[in-house]
Amino acid sequence: MVYRVTLISGDGIGPEVTRAAKKCLEATGVKFVWDEVIAGSKAIEKFGTPLPEYVLKSIRKNKVAIKGPIITPIGTGFRSVNVALRQELNLFACLRPVKSIPGIKSPYSNIDLVIVRENTEDLYAGIEFKKGEENTRKLIGLLQKLQTKKLKADCAISIKPISPGATREIVSFAFEYAQKFKRKKVTAVHKANIMKYTDGLFLETARRVAREYSGKIIFDDCLVDNLAMQLVRNPHNFDVLVLPNLYGDIISDLCAGLIGGLGIAAGANIGKNIALFEAVHGAAPKYAGLNKVNPTAMILSGALMLEYLGEALAAKKLEKAVAEVIREGKFVTYDLKERRDDPAAVGTQGMAEAICRKLS
Ligand code: NAD
C-alpha cells in the first residue's frame, strides 16, 4: 500500500522539522507519495494569499496531511492559517498525547495523559470587532440595549460561540478515544462558574454525553484555573482532558512543559474523514534555518499519522526508535542535553538520522 499524503513544510523551522519527519516516516518502510504544497509566508509571496485553494483541494483529495508550523502575525495581518485549515476542513478534534519519554530532564516522570481540544469554536472562531469601527459601535449599541452591563465605547470585542452540536462531537470523540485506548477517565474542563451560558452549555452537554458511557469510563469536570494548578501539583490524577478551544491551546503548552518542552509535544487535527498532523510548537522564527531545533514533536506527529492510517506497528516502531535515541542521549538536539550549550548536541537532521538508523 502506498499512501498519498499532503505535505506542507510551513514557515520558520517548519521546513527543517518536516524534512526530518519525512525521512523518519520513510525509514519505517511504509511507502508514501508526498503531495508538497505551500501555505503561509511562501504562499503569500507566490499566490498573494497564505492559504491558496489548491492546498485545501489537495488535502480534501488525499484525506491525510502533515504540516510544519505556520506563522500568524500578532495583532495585525492575516488570520491564522492553522485555525483556517481546521475550520475549513472541519477538523473538529485536536488530539495531543502527553507522555514522558525517559531520558528527558523534567521534574515529572511517568506522565501519560491526553488532551482533546475542540478545534472550531470558542474565542478561536475569529468573530472579532475592532476598536472604533462602525460595526463595533453598532454592536456596542445593540449590546447596551440587550443587557444592563456597561461597555466602554472604545472597547474591542471578540465573540465566544459554543454550541451543543460541536460540544457533543468533541466530548463523544474524547470518550470514544478513551474506550479505544483503554483509558479510565475523561475530565471536562471549563469555567462554567463565570461563563454560565457558554462554558455552562459545554459542561451540561459533556455531562449528557458522559451518561452514555457510565459504568465504562469515569467522568468528572474541573475549572480551568484549578486544573492549571492541579496539573503542576499532581498531573498523574488526570487521564483524558476534553476542553474548549482556547483552554485547550493554553493547557497543551502547560502539559508540553510537564514532559520536557515544546520540542517533543505531538498533535493531530481530526475530522470525520480528513486528518492533519502537526506538532504543538510554532514556527520558532529565531531558530529558522539553523538546523538546531528538536524534530521529535514533528516525528511523533508522524507516528500519530501512521496510527491513523492503520499502520500501528510502524507507529510503535517509530516511537520506540525516538525513545531509544532520547534515552541514549548522544544524538540529541541542544534542548535535550543536560546543558543547553553542550557542544556535543547534534542538529535537527543529525537527530533524525540517528532515529532512522534505529529503524533500519
Ligand atoms: P514557538 O512554539 O514557535 O516557539 C516558542 C519557543 O519554544 C521557541 O523560541 C523555542 O525556544 C521553543 N521551541 C519551539 N519549538 C521547538 C523545537 N522543535 N525544538 C526546540 N525548542 C522549540 O511559539 P511562538 O514563538 O509563540 O510562535 C512563533 C510563531 O509560530 C507565531 O507566528 C505563532 O503564531 C506560530 N505558531 C504556529 C503554530 C502552528 O503552526 N500550529 C502553533 C503555535 C505557534
Side-chain angles (χ1 to χ4, degrees):
M1 173 104 189
V2 180
Y3 298 99
R4 197 174 179 91
V5 172
T6 302
L7 175 75
I8 307 170
S9 61
D11 295 322
I13 57 169
E16 44 210 289
V17 291
T18 47
R19 199 174 132 215
K22 197 172 144 189
K23 224 183 267 179
C24 293
L25 282 164
E26 285 170 353
T28 64
V30 175
K31 297 271 174 286
F32 293 98
V33 171
W34 305 103
D35 197 357
E36 298 200 25
V37 295
I38 57 172
S41 314
K42 278 178 255 161
I44 294 185
E45 277 167 34
K46 192 161 175 199
F47 301 104
T49 166
L51 183 55
E53 192 51 40
Y54 91 113
V55 173
L56 293 168
K57 229 182 200 169
S58 165
I59 303 175
R60 285 196 180 104
K61 185 169 127 255
N62 296 326
K63 313 264 186 259
V64 183
I66 186 160
K67 76 172 262 298
I70 292 175
I71 285 171
T72 308
I74 294 180
T76 55
F78 63 85
R79 287 205 168 271
S80 167
V81 171
N82 310 303
V83 174
L85 278 167
R86 295 166 198 159
Q87 289 174 347
E88 284 287 331
L89 302 166
N90 192 25
L91 305 173
F92 65 88
C94 177
L95 181 70
R96 291 173 166 175
V98 183
K99 200 164 181 213
S100 299
I101 304 178
I104 295 184
K105 256 192 84 159
S106 156
Y108 305 92
S109 55
N110 300 320
I111 302 277
D112 184 9
L113 55 92
V114 178
I115 291 174
V116 177
R117 165 189 175 192
E118 202 287 323
N119 239 353
T120 63
E121 298 198 317
D122 194 5
L123 283 159
Y124 269 67
I127 308 169
E128 292 202 291
F129 293 85
K130 199 172 176 181
K131 172 180 94 86
E133 283 191 346
E134 177 59 19
N135 278 346
T136 315
R137 275 197 293 274
K138 278 191 205 155
L139 179 63
I140 291 170
L142 180 65
L143 289 170
Q144 300 289 210
K145 282 189 201 138
L146 292 175
Q147 50 89 55
T148 54
K149 297 268 180 343
K150 284 270 163 288
L151 279 168
K152 294 203 170 72
D154 60 352
C155 68
I157 297 180
S158 297
I159 304 284
K160 173 178 165 121
I162 300 272
S163 70
T167 306
R168 165 164 278 284
E169 206 161 42
I170 196 67
V171 178
S172 303
F173 180 96
F175 273 98
E176 287 300 311
Y177 179 92
Q179 224 166 26
K180 182 169 174 199
F181 291 95
K182 307 208 177 340
R183 298 272 170 175
K184 293 197 165 49
K185 184 171 78 166
V186 172
T187 304
V189 182
H190 59 89
K191 189 77 182 165
N193 53 338
I194 303 299
M195 276 157 283
K196 294 187 190 297
Y197 298 144
T198 48
D199 284 22
L201 180 58
F202 185 87
L203 178 58
E204 183 194 317
T205 310
R207 284 185 174 143
R208 205 163 286 150
V209 174
R211 273 182 228 128
E212 296 162 24
Y213 296 85
S214 94
K216 293 185 227 156
I217 312 269
I218 300 165
F219 173 75
D220 66 3
D221 68 279
C222 191
L223 290 165
V224 64
D225 44 344
N226 182 17
L227 176 81
M229 186 272 288
Q230 288 201 48
L231 278 171
V232 172
R233 284 179 66 96
N234 202 347
H236 302 102
N237 283 350
F238 297 97
D239 194 348
V240 177
L241 302 173
V242 60
L243 316 90
N245 211 335
L246 181 63
Y247 308 148
D249 183 36
I250 298 165
I251 296 296
S252 292
D253 271 34
L254 189 159
C255 287
L258 298 178
I259 55 167
L262 282 168
I264 54 168
N269 300 290
I270 300 176
K272 285 268 183 278
N273 61 357
I274 298 180
L276 180 149
F277 298 82
E278 63 177 337
V280 173
H281 66 69
K286 69 178 178 195
Y287 292 105
L290 301 180
N291 185 36
K292 190 170 160 81
V293 294
N294 191 341
T296 302
M298 200 66 226
I299 294 169
L300 291 179
S301 302
L304 289 175
M305 182 175 87
L306 288 171
E307 172 87 47
Y308 178 85
L309 291 170
E311 298 284 351
L313 271 179
K316 286 271 157 302
K317 216 168 84 176
L318 182 53
E319 279 170 18
K320 192 165 160 260
V322 170
E324 270 175 36
V325 168
I326 290 176
R327 186 172 37 77
E328 288 166 11
K330 191 165 177 218
F331 298 104
V332 294
T333 45
Y334 75 101
D335 56 314
L336 298 184
K337 287 286 188 189
E338 193 72 25
R339 281 186 20 241
R340 288 194 152 223
D341 59 355
D342 186 338
V346 298
T348 311
Q349 304 315 318
M351 184 164 176
E353 279 148 22
I355 294 166
C356 290
R357 286 196 292 277
K358 297 281 178 199
L359 290 162
S360 59

